[in-house]
Amino acid sequence: MSKPQLINTVAKMQAQSDTWRGEGLRIGLVPTMGFLHEGHLSLVDYSLSAADRTIVSIFVNPLQFGPKEDFAIYPRDIERDIKLLAQRGVDAVFKPQTVEFYPPDFSTTVEVTHLADGLCGAMRPGHFRGVTTVVSKLFTATKPHLAIFGQKDYQQAAVIRRLVRDLNLDLHIEVAPTMREADGLAMSSRNVNLTEDERRRVPALYQALAMAKRYIECGERDTQRIIGEMRSQIEKELGGDIEYISIVHPDTLEDLSEIAGPVVIALAVRLANVRLIDNISAEPSRK
Ligand code: PAF
């Protein structure tokens, strides 16, 4: 087990990536905010198998948190993260410093419109601008051929694909499946902030998504009817503040009133200290 190089300036990261590129090696990047779990590690494994060198970035990006959000309590444990990444055989950990990434006169942002407006974008103004800005900076610093994101953040992945397409960035985006706990809860660094009672009840979210998928596969076409059923089930089993439950087109992320093809069912629920999101893809069965 060899420790990954820990790199914390943009110049050193770019120099290392230039060296690897000069040697004809393919670079994979897994952008994270740390406090790694099996979901992140599955993205790392994908990169290790698809690229010659794997960089994991760890940066809790202040720009993507609203003033009343959980930036201060977002879990952090860099020592543990590095140990996990060393066990996996990652080549470098890029941990930029906030003062270098966002100097006091920082004044440039990158914004994807439309795709970023609904779902989480409507609930967290400025969030995706923060994500697309930091991801652009991470791409510039690490110069990857390939970057891997998780499907749990479905809208984020769609927005980043659009960013790459619209700015003609020379890299490939891969989206890997959501990893779940045995009871269906989508893995997330934030799960550690759930109370014991919330942790017991949160599988209700996946159960509601799975129920909706079954309805669709059995021929239900009316999205409002499905959303209504999901809402009642979540209110009964979990409570919390349901920010949205939406059934959207997988590419445009526009709300659908009727199901005629593949869809994504997405939701966000706010509990006392944690905001959880999840989604599932569904398609009416062809008879
Ligand atoms: O998904 C995340 O963890 C973050 O949004 C990302 C992509 C690392 C940007 O900060």
Side-chain angles (χ1 to χ4, degrees):
M1 180 174 89
S2 66
K3 259 194 160 185
Q5 292 184 59
L6 181 57
I7 300 178
N8 54 20
T9 71
V10 172
K12 283 185 189 153
M13 188 66 257
Q14 286 174 330
Q16 179 59 81
S17 291
D18 285 342
T19 303
W20 284 334
R21 279 184 169 254
E23 292 166 357
L25 299 172
R26 200 172 147 71
I27 301 172
L29 169 69
V30 181
T32 81
M33 298 205 297
F35 210 73
L36 305 177
H37 51 68
E38 283 301 320
H40 295 115
L41 296 175
S42 72
L43 311 183
V44 168
D45 288 344
Y46 184 92
S47 176
L48 289 167
S49 67
D52 304 305
R53 293 290 180 270
T54 292
I55 304 169
V56 175
S57 65
I58 298 183
F59 182 61
V60 185
N61 172 35
L63 212 61
Q64 69 189 74
F65 288 80
K68 294 198 179 117
E69 293 185 351
D70 58 349
F71 178 72
I73 60 161
Y74 196 88
R76 294 155 168 94
D77 190 344
I78 185 72
E79 296 306 322
R80 178 178 157 275
D81 289 345
I82 290 176
K83 225 178 266 170
L84 288 170
L85 296 174
Q87 283 164 4
R88 250 29 195 215
V90 162
D91 299 282
V93 171
F94 177 50
K95 190 174 179 305
Q97 301 157 87
T98 309
V99 282
E100 188 187 12
F101 249 25
Y102 300 126
D105 58 350
F106 181 80
S107 41
T108 306
T109 54
V110 180
E111 185 161 13
V112 171
T113 53
H114 303 301
L115 271 184
D117 293 345
L119 303 171
C120 290
M123 298 295 148
R124 303 182 69 188
H127 167 68
F128 284 114
R129 185 169 56 240
V131 170
T132 41
T133 300
V134 80
V135 162
S136 305
K137 291 173 72 70
L138 293 169
F139 291 164
T140 307
T142 59
K143 308 190 181 194
H145 296 86
L146 163 76
I148 304 119
F149 295 85
Q151 175 117 30
K152 185 183 74 88
D153 298 285
Y154 189 92
Q155 186 179 18
Q156 170 172 281
V159 165
I160 290 168
R161 276 192 205 281
R162 184 62 58 88
L163 164 80
V164 167
R165 191 205 70 180
D166 287 355
L167 297 187
N168 310 105
L169 301 182
D170 186 15
L171 79 155
H172 173 74
I173 299 296
E174 191 63 42
V175 180
T178 303
M179 296 291 282
R180 298 185 179 280
E181 305 288 355
D183 59 10
L185 173 65
M187 290 187 186
S188 162
S189 306
R190 288 184 163 100
N191 291 349
V192 74
N193 288 334
L194 291 167
T195 64
E196 231 171 84
D197 180 51
E198 286 167 346
R199 175 64 192 85
R200 229 178 0 86
R201 290 182 290 125
V202 284
L205 297 179
Y206 179 66
Q207 285 156 15
L209 288 168
M211 172 187 76
K213 184 176 168 81
R214 282 195 303 276
Y215 277 148
I216 292 169
E217 288 171 353
C218 290
E220 178 62 78
R221 298 286 174 267
D222 183 340
T223 57
Q224 283 315 308
R225 205 146 44 209
I226 300 169
I227 290 170
E229 289 289 329
M230 291 176 72
R231 183 173 289 280
S232 328
Q233 184 165 322
I234 293 170
E235 281 169 354
K236 185 163 145 252
E237 306 290 334
L238 175 63
D241 175 16
I242 301 177
E243 285 192 350
Y244 66 80
I245 302 175
S246 301
I247 301 184
V248 298
H249 187 282
D251 301 327
T252 65
L253 305 189
E254 273 165 16
D255 278 309
L256 298 168
S257 55
E258 203 180 290
I259 293 161
V263 299
V264 172
I265 312 158
L267 54 76
V269 173
R270 195 176 282 280
L271 302 173
N273 282 321
V274 189
R275 178 179 183 275
L276 296 175
I277 59 171
D278 200 353
N279 68 81
I280 201 167
S281 300
E283 190 168 358
S285 54
R286 278 183 225 126
K287 294 228 174 86

